[in-house]
Amino acid sequence: MAAASRRVLVLRCPDWLTADEDPAAAAQPGSAVAGAPRPGAAGAVQPEAVQSEAVQSEAVQPEASARDFERVVAIVEEFCPQVEVLLPGIAAISARGPARYFGGEAALATRLAEAVSRRGIACQVGVADGLFAADLAAQCSPGLLVPPGETPRFLAGLPVTALGMPELADLLPKLGIRTLGEFADLPVGEAGSRFGTQGIIAHRMARGLDPRPLAPPPPRLDLSVSHTFDPPAGQSEPVVFAAKALADQMHAGLAASGLVCVRVQIEVQRADGQVHARLWRHDGLLSALAVAERVRWQLDGWHTGRAARPGRGGEDGAGDGGGIALVRLAPDQLVRATGHQLSLWGDAVVSDKVARAALRVQAMLGHTAVTRPVLSGGRSPAEQVLLVPFGDAGIALRPPDQPWPGQIPAPAPATVYPEPLAASVTDAAGRMVSVSGRAQVSAAPAWLSAGAGPVRAVSHWAGPWPVTQRWWDQASARRQARFQILTEDGSAWLAVLQDGQWLVEARYD
């Protein structure tokens, strides 16, 4: 296939992809990009620009961010109606047709970046052969246009971590393979026999060949499913609940044909005839819960966009235009089913029953009525567990498997207070214990009181674990020093000295 026939443009919006606690990201310019392809980029490949960025999978943002990203997708749709949302913050289109209309890829990328930046949204645009390379080009600052046919050279100097495959990223450097170019030089047969299916896919990506195209031809079979609401649904919850059942029906039809869906088109039609369609892709297979989640995002995003226009309003994502009359799911990208490993207790026995019960409660009481804990990174116990609505992606903003300097050692406390308790920690003479800038404790803690509780004698203590957070932001910067304190009554506490005040964050049971 000619390189020009698979040119892809990727738009990245860092505001949806950057964790708040990332000081490196906070140090980057916050203004909107003025034209993604840098001057002269069309004639030269600059892979070192990508190496300066963290090439890794970004965390999926909360549901509110997904709704907000709809306004960006609406801008992209003005340039190409077929927009693929990889995740909130990243959208992709086929560049071939729009580039011809707007006078070339550089003009297309510049006009798209300017249209987004005029809304006060920072963005980066990348164009290359295939989705994988275009996404990496968009991670350059302020964006990169890789000339047709130059994608293998652009990828060659990038580290193997750019593949986004942790196992290979750890193994390949141990074998002396540190760049994508070195990996691409291996014979494809050796990559497959040594690293399996994952190795073959990674080898294709390293050579600039995507494992699957951005916009494949439609399937021969009509595997779409739809549901008509009579009367039209005035609230989002019944639509989301119906979408979950439709997704189960769609997956059953796909399974009968030996197929699975990794991208789906969700079409919602209002009673007044207005239609809103969106393509959604997921990192992996789109489960029924994932489809229902995206229906909710799409409804909320459509409502937000309509409410921002003069004369539009409504109290709910399905409340305008007479309500929702029809929802339709169409599998847009299919791959052959390769099997699915059931969980220990069996997906259909336990997991599906729990999912149905949770969705029913959400349909009656709202999406946030049922939540589940998700492990997250952070230094305080409250940061390390997040409660997310059932069915949401639940990927932590802060990766839990990364080092967090200043984090307290295991075991974790059993009781974490929603709001830290006001406390007092004093030495044997009754003076408040303090911690210097060099983490030196003024005196050994002798007495502890927490909240309205009694004063307890301290038998053992450990610490401090000092941490300076958000030092780059004067308004929210703070210094803390945490202590583990055991009192003579057998109670164990996690206390923190912050801004000259003692607080108790948690208790060890």
Side-chain angles (χ1 to χ4, degrees):
M1 183 182 298
S5 65
R6 55 186 179 92
R7 299 289 285 173
V8 177
L9 180 148
V10 169
L11 174 78
R12 279 177 157 260
C13 296
D15 290 345
W16 277 267
L17 301 170
T18 301
D20 293 338
E21 295 289 340
D22 185 2
Q28 295 175 1
S31 58
V33 175
R38 59 168 62 91
V45 178
Q46 305 176 30
E48 66 276 4
V50 180
Q51 297 185 39
S52 65
E53 301 288 338
V55 184
Q56 57 184 349
S57 299
E58 289 80 2
V60 177
Q61 300 295 308
E63 183 180 353
S65 296
R67 294 196 301 266
D68 292 341
F69 189 62
E70 282 293 313
R71 58 194 174 111
V72 179
V73 177
I75 298 174
V76 182
E77 284 183 326
E78 297 176 1
F79 293 82
C80 178
Q82 289 288 318
V83 181
E84 178 176 325
V85 180
L86 278 70
L87 68 155
I90 306 179
I93 62 174
S94 175
R96 186 183 185 187
R100 290 178 176 177
Y101 181 83
F102 289 100
E105 293 176 347
L108 169 64
T110 300
R111 294 185 62 171
L112 176 57
E114 290 176 346
V116 175
S117 65
R118 279 196 297 267
R119 304 293 180 89
I121 302 171
C123 70
Q124 297 177 185
V125 179
V127 183
D129 297 339
L131 179 61
F132 171 65
D135 187 33
L136 292 178
Q139 294 182 44
C140 300
S141 183
L144 184 65
L145 180 69
V146 181
E150 294 292 328
T151 293
R153 189 159 66 93
F154 162 69
L155 296 173
L158 301 182
V160 292
T161 53
L163 292 168
M165 301 179 179
E167 293 183 1
L168 286 180
D170 180 65
L171 177 59
L172 291 177
K174 297 177 181 178
L175 301 176
I177 302 173
R178 294 177 174 82
T179 66
L180 296 184
E182 294 172 345
F183 186 53
D185 289 340
L186 292 178
V188 63
E190 291 186 12
S193 61
R194 179 65 177 84
F195 306 108
T197 303
Q198 185 183 46
I200 295 177
I201 295 175
H203 195 264
R204 286 182 56 84
M205 295 166 64
R207 289 183 292 150
L209 304 174
D210 278 338
R212 61 176 72 93
L214 177 69
R220 297 178 182 178
L221 299 176
D222 183 9
L223 298 173
S224 63
V225 291
S226 61
H227 179 82
T228 301
F229 297 91
D230 188 14
Q235 302 290 326
S236 296
E237 300 300 338
V239 182
V240 176
F241 187 71
K244 166 64 167 58
L246 285 178
D248 286 328
Q249 180 182 344
M250 180 184 70
H251 286 315
L254 292 170
S257 301
L259 301 171
V260 291
C261 175
V262 296
R263 192 174 73 169
V264 64
Q265 182 181 56
I266 300 174
E267 179 182 309
V268 181
Q269 180 177 336
R270 295 186 184 272
D272 59 6
Q274 295 189 63
V275 177
H276 187 260
R278 177 75 70 246
L279 288 172
W280 292 95
R281 182 197 287 259
H282 187 258
D283 185 14
L285 303 182
L286 276 165
S287 66
L289 281 175
V291 172
E293 175 187 62
R294 281 149 181 78
V295 170
R296 182 184 301 281
W297 288 355
Q298 186 165 325
L299 288 174
D300 291 345
W302 192 15
H303 169 64
T304 301
R306 287 169 55 88
R309 304 172 192 166
R312 300 290 185 181
E315 297 181 353
D316 190 86
D320 312 336
I324 300 298
L326 179 141
V327 59
R328 178 175 177 269
L329 307 180
D332 185 74
Q333 185 167 339
L334 306 177
V335 296
R336 288 292 173 185
T338 57
H340 176 64
Q341 177 64 46
L342 294 178
S343 63
L344 178 62
W345 302 108
D347 290 346
V349 176
V350 175
S351 302
D352 205 38
K353 289 183 179 180
V354 172
R356 288 196 187 100
L359 285 173
R360 286 183 179 274
V361 174
Q362 287 177 323
M364 294 184 293
L365 303 180
H367 184 56
T368 59
V370 182
T371 60
R372 62 187 180 89
V374 174
L375 292 179
S376 176
R379 299 174 179 89
S380 70
E383 293 176 337
Q384 295 171 14
V385 177
L386 302 178
L387 293 178
V388 300
F390 185 85
D392 281 6
I395 300 179
L397 296 177
R398 300 177 297 271
D401 56 348
Q402 299 299 316
W404 289 90
Q407 184 182 48
I408 60 172
T415 302
V416 179
Y417 299 109
E419 293 292 335
L421 304 179
S424 173
V425 178
T426 57
D427 59 17
R431 295 184 295 265
M432 186 186 79
V433 176
S434 61
V435 179
S436 70
R438 295 182 177 273
Q440 297 295 318
V441 183
S442 61
W447 304 96
L448 166 70
S449 64
V455 177
R456 297 174 169 88
V458 175
S459 58
H460 298 84
W461 61 277
W465 287 274
V467 61
T468 300
Q469 297 194 88
R470 301 189 66 83
W471 49 266
W472 61 92
D473 185 356
Q474 185 176 1
S476 57
R478 60 184 180 182
R479 291 178 57 197
Q480 297 175 320
R482 289 187 170 85
F483 290 76
Q484 291 174 329
I485 297 178
L486 178 65
T487 53
E488 290 185 348
D489 61 357
S491 302
W493 311 83
L494 178 64
V496 58
L497 178 60
Q498 175 180 315
D499 300 327
Q501 179 182 1
W502 280 97
L503 303 168
V504 167
E505 293 182 307
R507 178 171 177 168
Y508 296 86
D509 294 338

